[in-house]
Amino acid sequence: SSNAAAVTPSDTLDLPFASKRLWIGGTGGNVKVNLVGGTTVIYTGVPAGSYLIIRASRVYATLTTATSIVAEY
């Protein structure tokens, strides 16, 4: 990845750039996202210290319980 930014989950705002992957750096848990293709999905039980290799355009506040998420793009 060329750049990275901390994610502030939001139910109304997209990420500034679509991610290449998301790093779950704090507490593991659920991550609800919009994918760039338009699908909304909830990844459940994502462990801390892992990557979601996904092109996400939004990380939702509602139903996202994982913390310290970083988007790499």
Side-chain angles (χ1 to χ4, degrees):
S1 298
S2 300
N3 291 293
V7 171
T8 301
S10 172
D11 292 337
T12 58
L13 297 175
D14 286 340
L15 298 172
F17 301 96
S19 72
K20 289 184 179 177
R21 60 188 184 174
L22 298 176
W23 168 252
I24 311 304
T27 304
N30 299 338
V31 182
K32 181 181 178 183
V33 297
N34 278 354
L35 300 175
V36 295
T39 304
T40 301
V41 64
I42 302 170
Y43 293 91
T44 59
V46 180
S50 65
Y51 280 101
L52 285 174
I53 311 299
I54 57 172
R55 303 265 306 147
S57 59
R58 178 180 297 176
V59 177
Y60 285 86
T62 300
L63 301 179
T64 295
T65 58
T67 63
S68 299
I69 301 170
V70 175
E72 296 183 6
Y73 54 96

